[in-house]
Amino acid sequence: MIPFQHFSLANGLDVYVHEDHTVPVAVLNVLYKVGSRNERPDKTGFAHLFEHLMFGGSQNIPSYDEPLQLVGGENNAFTNTDITNYYLSLPAANLETGFWLESDRMLSLSFDPDVLEVQRKVVVEEFNQRYLNQPYGDVWLKLRPLAYEKHPYQWATIGKEPAHIEQATLDDVRDFFQRYYVPNNAVLVVAGNVTFNQVRQLSEKWFAPIPAGALVPTAWEAEPPQATKRAFHTQAPVPANALYKTWHMPGRFHPDYYAYDLASDVLGRGQSSRLYRELVHKREIFTSISSFVMGSLDPGLLVISGRVAPGIALETAEAAVDEVISNLKENGVEPDELEKVKNQSEASLQFGEVEVLNRAMNLAFSSLSGDADLVNQELQYVRSVNVQDVRRVATEALRDETSSVLYYHAQS
């Protein structure tokens, strides 16, 4: 259970406060409602670029990290398809330093050409190292445009290609900042050894003077239903052939999300899952295999991926996966099998509440559903899924004709 209080500033900033006086620290989590789905098809990778630029200093504070480190704090950030999330932790006595730093870069980020050039090179190098020059690193660069034809989930968070970042101008950067990095497009969670009145006072002092932005809703085309199977073959100097098979599923806040999540766990979470037991241990078709859901805000993907054993054709491996799925659809899941993955899910949820920083992040994300108390209701939703739900969603979604398959061949 994560108790919290909420208020909004006149400029539209939503603020949530979670008090925990058993810890000596305070956490500030600032979630901006912008991810790679907000980008233009010809200017991708900007959300991730901004994750880096926000640490490049503001007009008033040349170095973001230095003042935070001087008071014993630390910080980081991440970007995905839907959000960009910044977080810091510091001794609770130095809470105001966090407010000062986060509000300042929301108000007056530096648009120094040298900063842009440095961060541009960092991002391009990351693109090359992690996605182009690493074994299997380009999987999502190929799989996303296979699974999505219209929706901007068709490109990875890093972007479509390094050229989009290499060609980014200061005007591009300034426009992106003014469009999305505004208080009425953000959620602030303050957690830890703090009080509601303290947070309200500091929020009014540091964030209230920042003017609201003129939000222009990003309009993107919904992904149409997939009617036929899509397949793509690629090859690279990788250790083994690999198979990636995806199906479309509802978004993170859809009522059926939990049934899909548990269905994927039954199929491929851990070594006791159906896919691992049957295709790794018993039949030795794969050397590793797993299943997971993307958890994106808009309709996402259920993914099965695995490394294929030597001498096994990728098509043979796929047929074996299909057999396991057919068995789930035809015979359903046993109550004790479902209970096992529910227990795993419950353990993950409870583990996610151990650290105050994780609580702050989970609260911020849950607020995107329109009801931040979802963070306290998820366990109930998981427990409510029954064997009929799992069989139903598997039957509805896991059809071969609606799948997208990437056959990743190892070069000989």
Side-chain angles (χ1 to χ4, degrees), residues 2-21:
I2 304 176
F4 65 88
Q5 294 174 276
H6 168 256
F7 64 91
S8 297
L9 300 180
N11 59 13
L13 179 67
D14 275 320
V15 185
Y16 294 85
V17 185
H18 164 56
E19 298 185 30
D20 182 353
H21 301 291

Side-chain angles (χ1 to χ4, degrees), residues 170-320:
L170 273 177
D171 285 341
D172 292 332
V173 169
R174 190 175 289 108
D175 176 71
F176 197 87
F177 180 79
Q178 292 172 349
R179 182 184 296 264
Y180 297 112
Y181 279 75
V182 292
N184 45 325
N185 198 48
V187 176
L188 169 65
V189 177
V190 185
N193 198 358
V194 301
T195 68
F196 178 80
N197 290 336
Q198 176 191 24
V199 172
R200 184 151 204 163
Q201 179 185 8
L202 290 172
S203 298
E204 292 285 354
K205 176 179 179 180
W206 290 105
F207 283 98
I210 303 175
L215 289 182
V216 179
T218 305
W220 50 77
E221 192 171 350
E223 185 66 21
Q226 184 173 335
T228 58
K229 181 177 180 178
R230 300 170 190 161
F232 184 78
H233 291 262
T234 189
Q235 63 177 2
V238 295
N241 290 346
L243 179 74
Y244 301 85
K245 190 162 186 173
T246 73
W247 295 264
H248 292 276
M249 61 167 284
R252 180 63 179 79
F253 300 132
H254 189 280
D256 275 340
Y257 171 81
Y258 302 93
Y260 278 91
D261 192 24
L262 292 172
S264 76
D265 289 348
V266 167
L267 285 169
R269 180 173 180 169
Q271 296 186 12
S272 63
S273 65
R274 290 190 175 195
L275 288 167
Y276 201 97
R277 288 198 324 266
E278 179 69 19
L279 305 185
V280 177
H281 280 314
K282 183 177 179 181
R283 299 173 63 183
E284 298 183 344
I285 293 175
F286 287 81
T287 59
S288 65
I289 194 166
S290 63
S291 174
F292 60 94
V293 298
M294 299 297 290
S296 51
L297 294 185
D298 290 336
L301 299 174
L302 186 151
V303 184
I304 292 175
S305 64
R307 305 281 174 88
V308 179
I312 303 294
L314 281 166
E315 291 78 7
T316 300
E318 182 190 4

Side-chain angles (χ1 to χ4, degrees), residues 19-251:
E19 298 185 30
D20 182 353
H21 301 291
T22 68
V23 297
V25 301
V27 167
L28 273 78
N29 189 94
V30 184
L31 181 155
Y32 290 93
K33 302 172 189 177
V34 55
S36 57
R37 68 173 180 170
N38 299 93
E39 298 164 349
R40 287 171 40 179
D42 60 337
K43 293 183 183 294
T44 63
F46 271 62
H48 178 249
L49 174 63
F50 251 88
E51 177 194 324
H52 289 261
L53 288 175
M54 286 288 278
F55 292 99
S58 69
Q59 296 174 20
N60 305 311
I61 307 172
S63 170
Y64 174 89
D65 289 330
E66 186 176 339
L68 185 61
Q69 292 168 351
L70 286 173
V71 298
E74 57 185 12
N75 68 87
N76 214 324
F78 64 85
T79 312
N80 62 31
T81 54
D82 305 303
I83 63 170
T84 307
N85 195 78
Y86 301 86
Y87 53 94
L88 64 84
S89 61
L90 74 179
N94 299 322
L95 175 63
E96 189 162 8
T97 299
F99 273 87
W100 167 55
L101 288 168
E102 287 298 339
S103 63
D104 184 72
R105 65 178 176 178
M106 181 187 286
L107 173 66
S108 54
L109 186 68
S110 171
F111 292 106
D112 186 331
D114 293 336
V115 172
L116 173 59
E117 193 57 35
V118 168
Q119 298 305 326
R120 187 205 316 271
K121 290 179 180 178
V122 169
V123 172
V124 170
E125 182 62 22
E126 179 183 348
F127 199 125
N128 290 327
Q129 286 191 353
R130 293 183 56 190
Y131 294 84
L132 300 182
N133 300 324
Q134 182 170 300
Y136 309 104
D138 60 348
V139 162
W140 288 103
L141 299 181
K142 293 178 167 62
L143 192 51
R144 282 190 174 277
L146 185 66
Y148 291 97
E149 294 185 332
K150 300 294 183 181
H151 193 282
Y153 285 166
Q154 66 187 262
W155 56 83
T157 304
I158 193 70
K160 288 183 177 180
E161 53 185 278
H164 287 184
I165 298 302
E166 291 170 339
Q167 296 166 6
T169 67
L170 273 177
D171 285 341
D172 292 332
V173 169
R174 190 175 289 108
D175 176 71
F176 197 87
F177 180 79
Q178 292 172 349
R179 182 184 296 264
Y180 297 112
Y181 279 75
V182 292
N184 45 325
N185 198 48
V187 176
L188 169 65
V189 177
V190 185
N193 198 358
V194 301
T195 68
F196 178 80
N197 290 336
Q198 176 191 24
V199 172
R200 184 151 204 163
Q201 179 185 8
L202 290 172
S203 298
E204 292 285 354
K205 176 179 179 180
W206 290 105
F207 283 98
I210 303 175
L215 289 182
V216 179
T218 305
W220 50 77
E221 192 171 350
E223 185 66 21
Q226 184 173 335
T228 58
K229 181 177 180 178
R230 300 170 190 161
F232 184 78
H233 291 262
T234 189
Q235 63 177 2
V238 295
N241 290 346
L243 179 74
Y244 301 85
K245 190 162 186 173
T246 73
W247 295 264
H248 292 276
M249 61 167 284

